């Protein structure tokens, strides 16, 4: 029976994955190489995580996958998540909202004001659960969580949402040899809430969280297990860091230049003194 | 007058475009701080402190002035700044006339502000830095009009708005000195209150100007013992600062003090910026900053500011003095963003008639200055938007930009020739 189920799940995965490629393939910034690469971990999950599948069978007949990637380069990025739910009974899930609870590590931040603008434009509803200092460096910061909300679009038995949240890298402490530091974005927590009350699933997979914003009334959310392309320690983002071994030379040259500039201007002042 | 209408029209058109741009494109036209101002104004209207908006680091006055942003329209502030831009052009014109600059040259100075693409863009993006430039110009005008108390008050408000004009205090103070090397008039109004000679004797002035160095020793006493005007100036300034600080401290508490003053004093931003000190600060971030490093960062700036104050602390030279000082504080600042350039660009028009530069030279220096900025922007772009490790190049370009500015300052000092102007007018 278990083997049978696994095969079935594999079939699901393939269908889902086909959709993923079709979906994100229309997005101009989606790299195809990445699409092929992400197939591997997804398949790996299928084979390797039978226990999570058992949980899933208790998850109200929903099968969730999240394909994640960090788009763009440099200090200003976008965290893209394609969430797809395959429903055994799609009619039950007509008016549902999903929420991702993202853990933003200390090396990254989201800009609350930017998120508020995006919400006003209707592009994205997301808000950090704490105050975020957008100016602090990584070594002065701590990880925090962001709640990202989205309605679900429906195509037959597939419910999906594509979210892109702007994230920004913090400055990292310089290291002895410079180069790059790595920041890891861990996988999120996926939650769902419907206008009609959901009663299925285990009691302990229900959470209380704000209904559609950081504050406001609390709703009951059902946490869903999901398979994802994200490695265990998270998506890796590289950020350039300063080279500490240059400190003495930078010190010397900088002060030579600023001191020299001062003397130069003073000499000009003296030479033009009439 | 015609030009004022055209200038206003250009600005209004850009504000309209900005509204359209912000709705259409991802990268907004509007300044980041403008939203901060608007949010702070909203807080004020709701009876809260403007400082409850994170990164609001300005005087509460700005939030008060911009409350119509919420009540009337979001673009109110931009229109206001644009109108203030026109007022600034008018002040420059008046300032030139006060200094006996021929009318056509005075007009040219005003026009160079009115049609300056940088000033147009900055005011229409909603940057409040024009406001402090306006107060600086107003202070100068008060000084020329022999109203030291008003000048002091203006200067105090200006320091309250933005901290940097505090370095102008010394030249302002010196310019009112009774010592002949600093005062414009033989019978200074500060010494003998009954004499109020309208026409400054230019010829005498020119010779005195030349002999300035020799008389400086003899006038030490006059420099250091304050006269009536200087006391008025200091009183006005201290009164304005203390009143404003006390009122806002009473209203908003320590938060006001920290955000609008202490923060700017202790500002240390390790993220990449135009400053020559950027990489040094970043690399030594987290480590204990040694005393000598602090001293080395502070002393050259201090020397230059004091030297410039004494060299150009003459009432007639004041605009140039402020220009040179501003270039120095901006270039030696640990953090430089492009909005700081407006601080000295706003003083440039008032100095143009006194600069002995051909058009070709002026264009050449402007091009060098802009190219040095672009050369910095290139590695900064690769770092910020491409994620490449270009820190060393940014640092080197920062040094190059510093050198370009120092050379520019040196050329300006060499080209500054007010005597030529007097000769022409006489």
């Amino acid at each position: 029976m278990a083997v049978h189920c696994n095969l079935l799940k594999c079939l699901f995965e393939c269908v889902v994955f086909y959709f993923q490629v079709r979906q994100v393939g229309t997005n101009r910034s989606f790299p195809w190489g990445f699409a092929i690469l992400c197939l591997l971990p997804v398949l790996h999950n299928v084979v390797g995580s039978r226990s999570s599948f058992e949980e899933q069978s208790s998850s109200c007949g929903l099968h969730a996958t999240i394909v994640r990637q960090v788009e763009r380069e440099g200090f200003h990025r976008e965290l893209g998540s394609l969430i797809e739910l395959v429903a055994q009974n799609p009619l039950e899930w007509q008016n549902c909202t999903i929420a991702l609870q993202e853990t933003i590590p200390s090396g990254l931040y989201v800009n609350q004001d930017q998120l508020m603008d995006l919400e006003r434009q209707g592009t994205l509803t997301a808000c950090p659960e704490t105050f975020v200092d957008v100016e602090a460096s990584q070594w002065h910061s701590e990880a925090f969580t962001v709640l990202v909300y989205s309605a679900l679009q429906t195509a037959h038995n597939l419910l999906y949402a594509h979210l892109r949240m702007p994230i920004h890298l913090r400055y990292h402490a310089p290291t002895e040899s410079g180069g790059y530091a790595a920041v890891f974005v861990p996988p999120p927590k996926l939650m769902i809430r419907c206008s009609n009350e959901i009663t299925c699933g285990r009691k302990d997979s229900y959470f209380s969280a704000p209904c559609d914003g950081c504050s406001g009334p609390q709703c009951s959310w059902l946490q869903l297990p999901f398979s994802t392309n994200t490695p265990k320690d998270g998506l890796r983002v590289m950020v350039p860091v300063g080279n500490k071994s240059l400190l003495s030379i930078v010190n010397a040259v900088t002060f030579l230049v600023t001191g020299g500039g001062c003397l130069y201007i003073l000499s000009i002042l003296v030479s033009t003194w009439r | 007058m015609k030009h004022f209408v055209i200038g206003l029209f250009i600005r209004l058109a850009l504000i309209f475009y900005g509204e359209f741009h912000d709705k259409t494109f991802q990268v907004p036209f509007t300044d980041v701080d403008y939203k901060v101002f608007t949010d702070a104004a909203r807080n004020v209207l709701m009876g809260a402190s403007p400082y409850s908006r994170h990164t609001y680091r300005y005087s509460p006055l700005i939030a008060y002035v911009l409350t119509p942003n919420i009540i009337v329209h979001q673009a109110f502030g931009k229109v206001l700044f644009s109108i203030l831009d026109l007022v600034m052009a008018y002040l420059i014109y008046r300032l030139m006339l006060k200094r006996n600059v021929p009318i056509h040259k005075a007009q040219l100075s005003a026009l160079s502000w009115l049609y300056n693409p940088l000033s147009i863009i900055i005011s229409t993006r909603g940057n409040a830095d024009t406001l402090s430039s306006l107060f600086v110009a107003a202070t100068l005008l008060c000084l020329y009009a022999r109203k030291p108390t008003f000048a002091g008050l203006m200067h105090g408000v200006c320091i309250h708005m933005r901290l940097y004009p505090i370095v102008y205090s010394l030249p302002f103070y010196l310019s009112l000195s009774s010592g002949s090397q600093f005062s414009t008039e033989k019978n200074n109004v500060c010494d003998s209150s009954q004499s109020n000679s309208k026409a400054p004797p230019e010829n005498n002035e020119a010779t005195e100007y030349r002999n300035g160095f020799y008389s400086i020793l003899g006038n030490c006493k006059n420099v250091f013992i304050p006269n009536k005007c200087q006391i008025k100036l200091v009183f006005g300034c201290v009164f304005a600062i203390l009143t404003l600080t006390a009122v806002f401290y009473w209203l908003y508490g320590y938060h006001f003090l920290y955000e609008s003053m202490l923060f700017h004093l202790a500002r240390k931003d390790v993220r990449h910026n135009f400053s020559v000190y950027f990489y040094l600060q970043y690399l030594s971030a987290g480590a204990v900053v040694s005393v000598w490093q602090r001293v080395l960062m502070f002393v050259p700036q201090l020397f230059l500011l004091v030297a410039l104050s004494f060299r150009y602390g003459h009432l007639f030279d004041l605009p140039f003095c402020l220009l040179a000082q501003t270039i120095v504080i901006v270039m030696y600042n640990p953090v430089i963003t492009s909005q700081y350039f407006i601080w000295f660009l706003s003083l440039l028009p008032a100095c143009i008639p006194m600069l002995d530069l051909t058009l070709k030279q002026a264009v050449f220096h402007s091009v060098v200055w802009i190219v040095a900025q672009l050369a910095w922007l290139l590695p900064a772009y690769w770092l910020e938007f491409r994620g490449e490790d270009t820190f060393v190049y940014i640092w080197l370009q920062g040094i190059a930009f510093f050198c370009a500015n120092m050379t520019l300052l040196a050329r300006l000092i060499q080209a500054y020739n007010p005597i030529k102007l007097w000769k022409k007018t006489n």
Side-chain angles (χ1 to χ4, degrees), chain B residues 356-377:
Chain B
D356 205 355
L357 281 174
T358 61
L359 187 66
K360 212 170 147 189
Q361 285 168 318
V363 169
F364 174 75
H365 291 311
S366 322
V367 168
V368 168
W369 188 72
I370 290 167
V371 166
Q373 268 189 68
L374 293 179
W376 179 91
L377 280 171

Side-chain angles (χ1 to χ4, degrees), chain B residues 82-150:
Chain B
S82 301
I83 292 169
L84 291 182
D85 238 13
L86 306 190
V87 176
M88 179 75 183
Y90 180 68
L91 288 191
I92 290 172
Y93 176 70
R94 288 296 304 273
L95 206 59
M96 292 292 103
L97 292 188
K98 284 267 181 205
R99 300 165 75 204
N100 303 312
V101 171
I103 286 189
H104 70 276
K105 282 204 168 180
Q107 283 171 340
L108 204 70
S109 292
L111 290 185
S112 69
W113 177 256
L114 209 52
Y115 292 128
N116 187 334
L118 263 167
S119 74
I120 293 175
I121 288 175
I122 281 174
S123 58
T124 52
R125 287 185 69 211
N127 190 305
D129 278 292
T130 339
L131 215 60
S132 51
S133 320
L134 195 73
F135 276 104
V136 173
T139 313
L140 281 176
L141 214 57
C142 288
L143 282 174
Y144 282 116
R146 308 276 185 275
K147 291 196 171 71
T149 320
F150 282 108

Side-chain angles (χ1 to χ4, degrees), chain A residues 60-71:
Chain A
C60 309
L62 275 182
H63 173 73
T65 27
I66 303 182
V67 175
R68 307 246 292 168
Q69 74 156 337
V70 176
E71 289 160 21

Side-chain angles (χ1 to χ4, degrees), chain B residues 161-383:
Chain B
M161 304 284 277
R162 263 328 203 151
L163 221 47
Y164 79 95
I166 202 164
V167 299
Y168 304 156
S169 307
L170 184 59
F172 283 161
Y173 179 83
L174 289 176
S175 72
L176 292 173
S177 160
S178 342
S180 56
Q181 81 279 17
F182 289 123
S183 65
T184 356
E185 292 171 29
K186 199 92 183 127
N187 299 316
N188 197 310
V189 69
C190 305
D191 297 328
S192 43
S193 44
Q194 72 278 11
S195 83
N196 197 0
S197 47
K198 275 277 179 215
E202 277 92 8
N203 285 324
N204 282 348
E205 209 174 334
T207 45
E208 265 176 33
Y209 190 80
R210 263 183 235 112
N211 296 332
F213 180 68
Y214 305 102
S215 51
I216 198 168
L217 297 170
N219 284 301
C220 265
K221 194 188 72 166
N222 292 331
V223 175
F224 292 109
I225 298 171
N227 60 31
K228 222 190 278 173
C229 285
Q230 288 172 323
I231 293 172
K232 281 182 186 167
L233 176 82
V234 173
F235 174 77
C237 179
V238 171
F239 175 77
I241 294 180
L242 284 186
T243 317
L244 287 169
T245 311
V247 167
F248 291 131
Y249 184 76
W250 174 65
L251 281 174
Y252 304 119
Y254 176 74
H255 217 63
F256 151 72
L257 217 56
Y258 176 77
E259 295 287 3
S260 76
M261 302 201 171
L262 302 179
F263 171 83
H264 294 283
L265 281 179
R267 182 163 187 184
K268 227 182 162 188
D269 196 341
V270 296
R271 291 173 298 174
H272 52 285
N273 62 78
F274 284 102
S275 175
V276 67
Y277 294 120
F278 144 68
Y279 203 33
L280 178 66
Q281 286 192 359
Y282 174 34
L283 288 185
S284 44
V288 186
V289 184
S290 57
V291 180
W292 67 267
Q293 197 173 320
R294 275 175 196 277
V295 169
L296 276 179
M297 275 175 85
F298 185 63
V299 162
Q301 178 169 206
L302 185 72
F303 273 179
L304 283 178
L305 291 179
V306 172
L308 286 168
S309 301
F310 278 93
R311 174 71 176 81
Y312 295 111
H314 190 287
L315 192 57
F316 189 86
D317 292 327
L318 268 186
F320 184 74
C321 181
L322 303 194
L323 172 68
Q325 282 199 324
T326 315
I327 295 179
V328 169
I329 45 171
V330 170
M331 288 326 292
Y332 279 94
N333 211 27
V335 179
I336 305 176
T337 59
S338 53
Q339 61 168 350
Y340 290 13
F341 300 141
I342 204 70
W343 297 355
F344 60 78
L345 286 175
S346 63
L347 288 161
L348 196 57
C351 302
I352 287 176
M354 286 84 196
L355 292 175
D356 205 355
L357 281 174
T358 61
L359 187 66
K360 212 170 147 189
Q361 285 168 318
V363 169
F364 174 75
H365 291 311
S366 322
V367 168
V368 168
W369 188 72
I370 290 167
V371 166
Q373 268 189 68
L374 293 179
W376 179 91
L377 280 171
L378 188 68
Y381 170 81
W382 277 92
L383 174 74

Side-chain angles (χ1 to χ4, degrees), chain A residues 123-158:
Chain A
T123 333
L124 182 79
T125 310
C127 61
E129 293 187 285
T130 47
F131 166 76
V132 183
D133 187 346
V134 298
E135 290 169 321
S137 322
Q138 183 266 330
W139 62 93
H140 284 141
S141 310
E142 281 172 9
F144 61 94
T145 53
V146 178
L147 282 170
V148 191
Y149 300 90
S150 176
L152 283 167
Q153 286 171 282
T154 320
H156 301 295
N157 67 338
L158 180 74

Side-chain angles (χ1 to χ4, degrees), chain A residues 85-128:
Chain A
L85 307 171
V86 178
Q88 280 171 1
N89 188 357
L91 287 175
E92 279 176 28
W93 309 96
Q94 284 304 307
N95 294 307
C96 294
T97 314
I98 50 153
L100 290 183
Q101 189 183 43
E102 299 275 5
T103 305
I104 305 293
S106 61
L108 293 169
Y109 67 88
V110 296
N111 185 337
Q112 193 158 11
D113 300 306
Q114 187 186 17
L115 292 180
M116 272 157 70
D117 280 348
L118 288 178
E119 188 174 348
R120 240 167 289 167
Q121 288 169 17
T123 333
L124 182 79
T125 310
C127 61

